Amino acid sequence: MAFTLGRRLVLSLLLVLVVLVLSFSLLFLAVWTTSSAVVVVAVAAPRVRITVVYYTALHPVKWRDLVAVQLQTLVKCGLAAAADSVEVLFSSLVDDDAGRKQLAEAAQLAKLLLGDVATLRVATHPGNHYEYPGIRRAFDLAAEGELRGESEDEQRRHLVLYHHGKGMFSTKGDQTKGGALLTVTPVVVEGWRGIVQRFANDSAMNKAGYITSPAGFHWYNFWWARASYLRLLEPPQVHDEDRFYYERWLGGLYNPTTGQVQNAGATDALSLCAGNRGRVLNYACPNTKIRWRC
């Protein structure tokens, strides 16, 4: 009798143990399934599309070093590989045989330095119209997206970097050692990962550059902007008498009905010189005595 009761007790304990093991197994499976679902959602999040636009007019003699440094920077910082498209544009000062030869050499250099970029496009423009070719290309990229039927959300996630051959015509020694170039490039170009993240975290931000003017453009004309914002601007015009037009252009919202342009303002802009305070009013950026909106 005692043996029978003991066996029943052992069987009961075993049954309880089996139930507990099954319960913990189901609980573990539920937690694992939930964690996996979270991972899948994170991986499936919409991606950012990046287009790099680099433009410069070429000095008749000394242009190779500056172009090489700026294009190599895109490679070294990883931006050339991460971008969905890299657009390189050159113009010559004059439209003649010498100018066209120079453009061919510049295009060959760009393809040599950026040869591993699958989506590289190089264009040349004989004759000097200041920054018109580069600014026009940045604007057209946004217009092309709209024509392809990209949604507003897709255009908001399409970021365009525009930068140019700053210091190409400097008369103060080595072009690659210019103060503006050495100051701006590390922040606006090499710091691209943090900038892309700032756009992702701040839905109200449409543009970013080193120093933002109250009118909404960026000094030095090195900037990032959403394609959805660029298509709201004036279609770029040729202004051979006013080269600063191409710097102010980013801050001009266009009304297609009236043909009027008005200042966009700086409320949607980020001044990268200010670091984490870049969206704070009246921050005094370093390297300038003027207090711009940063």
Side-chain angles (χ1 to χ4, degrees), residues 49 51 121 137-156 158 160 227-228 230-231:
R49 180 182 172 199
T51 299
R121 288 196 286 187
R137 184 60 191 143
F139 175 81
D140 287 345
L141 285 165
E144 289 170 7
E146 190 173 21
L147 290 174
R148 285 195 302 269
E150 289 183 355
S151 67
E152 176 70 16
D153 182 61
E154 287 174 321
Q155 292 214 355
R156 284 188 57 77
H158 181 187
V160 177
S228 56
L230 293 178
R231 63 184 174 84

Side-chain angles (χ1 to χ4, degrees), residues 15-293:
L15 181 60
V16 170
L17 182 61
V18 169
V19 170
L20 289 173
V21 170
L22 288 174
S23 299
F24 279 111
S25 297
L26 291 173
L27 179 61
F28 175 80
L29 181 62
V31 172
W32 181 84
T33 304
T34 303
S35 300
S36 299
V38 171
V39 171
V40 170
V41 170
V43 171
R47 64 182 296 274
V48 172
R49 180 182 172 199
I50 299 174
T51 299
V52 174
V53 177
Y54 171 75
Y55 165 77
T56 188
L58 300 173
H59 187 280
V61 179
K62 50 177 190 174
W63 57 269
R64 291 173 182 81
D65 289 347
L66 181 59
V67 169
V69 166
Q70 290 189 287
L71 296 185
Q72 286 172 335
T73 296
L74 295 176
V75 175
K76 290 178 180 179
C77 73
L79 181 52
D84 293 80
S85 178
V86 177
E87 313 258 346
V88 178
L89 304 96
F90 299 109
S91 67
S92 58
L93 291 186
V94 292
D95 182 4
D96 59 11
D97 289 343
R100 285 186 285 273
K101 180 181 178 182
Q102 183 186 39
L103 291 174
E105 292 176 2
Q108 184 178 14
L109 178 62
K111 292 173 183 177
L112 176 65
L113 297 175
L114 300 174
D116 293 334
V117 178
T119 54
L120 173 65
R121 288 196 286 187
V122 181
T124 58
H125 300 267
N128 179 32
H129 297 295
Y130 296 112
E131 291 182 61
Y132 172 77
I135 293 295
R136 183 76 210 195
R137 184 60 191 143
F139 175 81
D140 287 345
L141 285 165
E144 289 170 7
E146 190 173 21
L147 290 174
R148 285 195 302 269
E150 289 183 355
S151 67
E152 176 70 16
D153 182 61
E154 287 174 321
Q155 292 214 355
R156 284 188 57 77
R157 288 186 282 106
H158 181 187
L159 303 181
V160 177
L161 164 65
Y162 173 81
H163 65 309
H164 60 103
K166 183 69 177 175
M168 177 64 73
F169 296 91
S170 173
T171 59
K172 299 179 181 179
D174 189 343
Q175 298 163 313
T176 65
K177 305 297 184 183
L181 187 63
L182 293 179
T183 300
V184 176
T185 298
V187 176
V188 182
V189 180
E190 296 176 53
W192 67 272
R193 291 180 178 85
I195 297 169
V196 170
Q197 191 60 51
R198 293 290 291 270
F199 274 101
N201 294 340
D202 189 347
S203 61
M205 192 172 84
N206 283 319
K207 52 201 172 184
Y210 189 72
I211 302 178
T212 307
S213 82
F217 62 87
H218 296 289
W219 299 107
Y220 301 122
N221 226 18
F222 279 50
W223 48 257
W224 292 77
R226 299 185 192 272
S228 56
Y229 173 81
L230 293 178
R231 63 184 174 84
L232 301 179
L233 304 179
E234 177 190 25
Q237 309 296 312
V238 175
H239 283 273
D240 290 344
E241 75 290 348
D242 180 15
R243 64 187 178 92
F244 296 108
Y245 162 84
Y246 303 106
E247 188 171 52
R248 297 192 306 269
W249 173 81
L250 188 68
L253 296 177
Y254 180 66
N255 185 328
T257 302
T258 63
Q260 299 298 308
V261 178
Q262 64 180 27
N263 286 347
T267 57
D268 62 347
L270 168 66
S271 282
L272 295 164
C273 67
N276 292 330
R277 292 174 290 181
R279 300 266 274 133
V280 179
L281 281 171
N282 297 323
Y283 176 78
C285 290
N287 303 320
T288 178
K289 297 180 180 180
I290 306 175
R291 298 175 68 88
W292 297 109
R293 183 185 182 89

